[in-house]
Amino acid sequence: MKNFFFFMFIQLTFTVSLESAKSPDVKIYSTSPMGPYKLVIKQTYIANPAKINKIQYNIYLSHKDNKTIIFGNTTLNIPLDDTLILGVKVARKDSSGRWKENSFMQNWPKACSTAKQFFGNAWNGVMYGLGINNTNCPLLKGFYIAPGVDTSILKDSNLPKTFLYGTYKLYMYYTQKNEIIGGQVIIVELKRS
C-alpha cells in the first residue's frame, strides 16, 4: 500500500509538471500513434485510366521549394452537383509496407455540398487553384485548367486536426445511379507536426 501511494505521488507530480510546462513556446513530444499532423500528398492518379468517366481529374503534383502544388485539368462532362454521391475507400499501409484495403469506407449523399463542407475555408482557394471560378454548388460542366493549388491551404479545411500517423491511399469517387462516374486515388502521409 505504501508503494502504491508513492507511485501515485510520482504520477501526480509528473502530470502537474507536464501540464504546467505546456505553453505555445514549449513543444512536448509524444510517442502516441496519433495527434496533430502535417499532411504530405505523395502521389495522385486516375483510378481507372482505361475508362472515360463523366468526371475526370487529370492532375499531377509538383514538389518545389518545400511546397506541393497541384496542376493539371478537370473535365466535368456533367455538372458536379448534389444529385451525385461522394464515396471514399481508405487503405492504410502497415509496418511491412502492404496496403490494408478498406480500412475505412463511406458514402455521402450531396457530393458537391459535402466536398464544400470538407474543404471549409480552403474551398475557394482549391476551386480557384483548379481553374473553377464558380465556387457555389453545382460546379458547372466544362473543361478547367488548373493554375495551381498550393496544398498548404488544406490546413484551413474541416478535415480532422488529429489523426493516426501513417501512409494512406484514398480512393475517392463519384456515383450516379449506382454507377461510378469518376474517381481519383491520392496517396498521403500524415507526419508528426
Side-chain angles (χ1 to χ4, degrees), residues 101-159:
E101 298 293 336
N102 302 328
S103 296
F104 174 80
M105 297 184 305
Q106 181 69 43
N107 288 323
W108 293 276
K110 300 184 178 183
C112 188
S113 296
T114 300
K116 189 172 184 176
Q117 181 181 353
F118 282 141
F119 281 114
N121 292 332
W123 173 258
N124 289 350
V126 169
M127 290 300 103
Y128 294 139
L130 291 174
I132 302 171
N133 293 326
N134 171 35
T135 59
N136 295 317
C137 291
L139 302 179
L140 303 176
K141 74 187 226 183
F143 179 77
Y144 303 96
I145 297 174
V149 179
D150 183 346
T151 60
S152 68
I153 68 171
L154 295 177
K155 69 182 180 309
D156 297 328
S157 71
N158 290 330
L159 297 173

Side-chain angles (χ1 to χ4, degrees), residues 46-110:
I46 298 170
N48 187 357
K51 182 179 178 191
I52 297 175
N53 289 304
K54 294 177 182 175
I55 297 176
Q56 300 172 45
Y57 296 102
N58 299 303
I59 56 177
Y60 63 93
L61 304 174
S62 172
H63 302 282
K64 188 175 182 181
D65 299 330
N66 288 332
K67 289 185 178 181
T68 301
I69 309 292
I70 299 172
F71 292 107
N73 62 65
T74 301
T75 304
L76 301 177
N77 291 318
I78 61 169
L80 200 161
D81 60 20
D82 283 344
T83 64
L84 305 178
I85 294 172
L86 173 64
V88 67
K89 292 180 183 176
V90 179
R92 186 168 196 275
K93 192 177 270 192
D94 67 17
S95 59
S96 37
R98 292 180 303 233
W99 291 109
K100 183 177 180 197
E101 298 293 336
N102 302 328
S103 296
F104 174 80
M105 297 184 305
Q106 181 69 43
N107 288 323
W108 293 276
K110 300 184 178 183

Side-chain angles (χ1 to χ4, degrees), residues 11-25:
Q11 183 179 4
L12 179 63
T13 304
F14 178 78
T15 304
V16 169
S17 299
L18 188 63
E19 289 299 317
S20 64
K22 285 185 180 176
S23 75
D25 302 330

